[in-house]
Amino acid sequence: MLLFFAVVLLGIGLIHYYLWKRLVRDPLPPGLGRRVGTVVAVLLCVLAPVTMIGVRAGYFMWLSWPGYLWIAVMFYLLVVLAVLEIPRLLLMRLWAGSGRTAQKTVDVPAPIRPAEETQPAASRSQAATRPGGAAITQPASTTQAGAASPQATATVEAPGPPAETRPGADSRAAATAGNGRDPAGAGGAAGAGGPAGAGGAASKGGPADASGAASKGAPADAGGPASEAGTPESGVSTPAGDGPAGDAEERRGIERRLLLARGTAIFAGLTAAGITGYGVKTATGAPQIDRVQLPMAKLPRAMDGTRLAVVSDIHIGPLTGVNHAQRIVQVINSVNADLVCVVGDLVDGSVAELGRFAAPLAGIESRHGAFFVTGNHEYYSGAEEWVEEVARLGIRPLRNERVAINGLDLAGVNDLSGEEQGDAPDFARALGDRDTARPVVLMAHQPVAAVEAAPFGVDLQVSGHTHGGQMAPFNLLVKLQQPVVSGFGEVDGVPVYVTNGAGFWGPPVRVGAPPQVTVIELRTA
């Protein structure tokens, strides 16, 4: 038992951590809002086990409504968020992929060719045809940032015989190329380790290039000032996260994630609250009537059309009040049943606590009487005293026994959980010495009891216990433990009908399994 409680507490803690992560941490930035949300999550995490354990033990009854309602909301929050995980992960992966591929690329500037190649063809032709091949001084042409100033010029050496030296020619060329500012002459300052080149400053360790800019340890770029690897001037593609564009992309990613987290939290919260509200209205309303017909080969013709009103899991408890039992009795009486079968889980508490809430059951009407078998919750609530109380209310308990009703046998066995308290089901006692030519209907709280009833040739077993799942999709888990969850099924050759139950256990919520009273009409085959 301690191990069971430990597992329950661990499960509740993990569920609340997940809910806190999706509903508080992800959508809320650090600050007061997140701190308040964290405190609320912790309180709700404590509320759930206190309600499940304390209320069941008869303590903290005032926590019943808020505690059980939160358990229902918690369940549907978990379901909705789990369903949303797949589209959420797909969107996150899509956005992350687009962020990784976003890059900013800078075009590699075209290198400046030697001045003689960049001059217009007409100028080159003109220089070549000048008498004597004299040097022609032309303005340097460039469109790159950091190139020579408009005043700077480039000197082109025309092909042909050496130019005739004219007086003052060198001084005029130097003045023109240096714009009066370059003491090195001929368009540039002499660099360390090499002479000044034509039209540009010499580099440290190498000649100057045609642009007039010095590089550090290598010839200068065609684009102007010295460049360093990885800068836009070098033409290298830079990831988007390394500059202003990358910062903007990162901010957009954060905004997308925040929008997704908040949208998910709001949608899950509204959906869970809406489903829970609908479930409360359904669970606390009057049970619906489910009518079915069942052919029975051994049924005497005189009993053709016999109506059995089957009701289970009324669960009179601290949340139901006296009106709950009264509503169910009114529905039972409205079908004019020949037999009423109350198949267990009548109460959740002691006779002293709930006796007045069960009092309306004395008003059940039927032609051949009302009968009762224990469910597992009777053994939590004091089975012996409730068997006596039910008998006092005019409902006959069948404790591993049967009764003959005209040409039909009606048998009942204790619930399987009674074995723990020395009140186990006894199928041989209830069914072993009967006349097999007569049809028999077995009342057993749990559908799985049909496995033990099958060797005795049972014609029909009526059961409850499952609540039809009570809160879909919980019905999928119930099917792992019981062979039939709701309606007709067959277990080892035994026809089994499982009613959804007329009440609720735990959360006052029913979704996908409305409360019902089932009317089974027996027909001759």
Side-chain angles (χ1 to χ4, degrees):
M1 184 62 72
L2 291 177
L3 178 61
F4 171 76
F5 284 131
V7 172
V8 169
L9 291 175
L10 177 61
I12 290 174
L14 292 175
I15 290 172
H16 281 80
Y17 173 76
Y18 173 71
L19 296 182
W20 169 82
K21 187 174 183 296
R22 289 287 178 261
L23 302 178
V24 178
R25 193 193 71 174
D26 291 352
L28 298 177
L32 179 61
R34 182 183 287 187
R35 290 195 295 271
V36 171
T38 301
V39 171
V40 171
V42 171
L43 293 177
L44 292 174
C45 184
V46 174
L47 176 63
V50 168
T51 301
M52 295 174 66
I53 299 171
V55 171
R56 180 174 171 179
Y59 302 103
F60 314 114
M61 303 305 292
W62 55 274
L63 287 178
S64 298
W65 272 100
Y68 281 122
L69 282 178
W70 166 243
I71 290 173
V73 173
M74 175 192 74
F75 174 71
Y76 282 111
L77 281 172
L78 178 64
V79 170
V80 174
L81 288 171
V83 171
L84 291 176
E85 282 295 332
I86 295 177
R88 176 182 173 277
L89 289 174
L90 290 176
L91 280 174
M92 294 293 288
R93 188 178 294 272
L94 178 64
W95 290 339
S98 64
R100 283 194 300 268
T101 57
Q103 289 184 336
K104 60 176 184 178
T105 305
V106 179
D107 293 335
V108 178
I112 296 180
R113 291 172 294 181
E116 64 177 4
E117 296 180 15
T118 60
Q119 293 180 38
S123 300
R124 291 199 302 271
S125 175
Q126 185 179 12
T129 58
R130 291 281 178 87
I136 303 171
T137 302
Q138 296 179 341
S141 175
T142 180
T143 58
Q144 300 298 318
S149 63
Q151 292 81 7
T153 58
T155 302
V156 178
E157 190 71 24
E164 180 181 353
T165 304
R166 294 188 300 272
D170 291 344
S171 61
R172 285 195 303 271
T176 304
N179 198 24
R181 294 176 302 186
D182 194 343
S203 64
K204 296 180 182 179
D209 64 12
S211 69
S215 65
K216 297 180 181 179
D221 273 348
S227 63
E228 297 180 3
T231 62
E233 289 79 359
S234 67
V236 178
S237 297
T238 306
D242 291 346
D247 293 341
E249 181 64 30
E250 184 177 356
R251 285 194 299 270
R252 282 194 296 272
I254 294 173
E255 291 171 357
R256 288 171 178 173
R257 290 192 295 270
L258 187 60
L259 178 63
L260 179 61
R262 289 178 176 175
T264 299
I266 293 172
F267 179 81
L270 292 177
T271 302
I275 293 174
T276 302
Y278 163 80
V280 170
K281 182 179 179 181
T282 302
T284 56
Q288 66 182 26
I289 299 173
D290 185 33
R291 298 179 183 270
V292 296
Q293 289 187 345
L294 177 68
M296 188 173 286
K298 301 176 185 178
L299 186 69
R301 190 167 299 276
M303 297 198 69
D304 183 40
T306 298
R307 292 186 301 276
L308 278 64
V310 182
V311 60
S312 178
D313 302 280
I314 297 176
H315 284 287
I316 297 171
L319 298 182
T320 59
V322 69
N323 292 333
H324 178 64
Q326 186 64 51
R327 281 194 302 268
I328 294 171
V329 170
Q330 289 174 353
V331 173
I332 292 173
N333 292 343
S334 71
V335 303
N336 297 316
D338 297 296
L339 292 167
V340 175
C341 303
V342 182
V343 283
D345 279 6
L346 177 64
V347 292
D348 279 309
S350 66
V351 173
E353 295 169 335
L354 305 175
R356 69 185 189 280
F357 295 158
L361 297 175
I364 292 177
E365 300 171 358
S366 66
R367 183 172 300 141
H368 298 297
F371 300 86
F372 167 77
V373 293
T374 56
N376 55 306
H377 279 250
E378 271 71 59
Y379 292 101
Y380 307 148
S381 306
E384 290 296 332
E385 64 176 7
W386 272 113
V387 167
E388 295 176 3
E389 181 66 15
V390 166
R392 190 183 70 80
L393 295 173
I395 303 173
R396 179 176 175 176
L398 294 178
R399 308 188 70 187
N400 300 325
E401 56 186 318
R402 69 179 183 274
V403 294
I405 302 172
N406 295 338
L408 176 72
D409 286 342
L410 180 66
V413 292
N414 298 339
D415 184 61
L416 299 174
S417 61
E419 185 173 2
E420 299 174 2
Q421 298 190 19
D423 198 25
D426 190 337
F427 292 88
R429 180 182 171 190
L431 302 167
D433 58 349
R434 71 181 187 84
D435 181 0
T436 56
R438 294 166 59 91
V440 60
V441 175
L442 174 65
M443 297 170 57
H445 179 60
Q446 298 189 42
V448 72
V451 174
E452 297 186 52
F456 299 96
V458 172
D459 298 283
L460 172 67
Q461 176 177 310
V462 291
S463 300
H465 184 65
T466 66
H467 297 202
Q470 184 166 326
M471 295 168 57
F474 189 72
N475 54 306
L476 301 177
L477 297 178
V478 175
K479 197 168 185 178
L480 300 177
Q481 200 258 344
Q482 295 293 334
V484 183
V485 177
S486 182
F488 268 118
E490 188 172 295
V491 180
D492 291 351
V494 178
V496 178
Y497 185 87
V498 180
T499 184
N500 285 350
F504 54 84
W505 179 79
V509 176
R510 275 186 172 270
V511 177
Q516 68 181 200
V517 171
T518 302
V519 179
I520 301 177
E521 186 175 352
L522 303 180
R523 309 298 304 215
T524 56

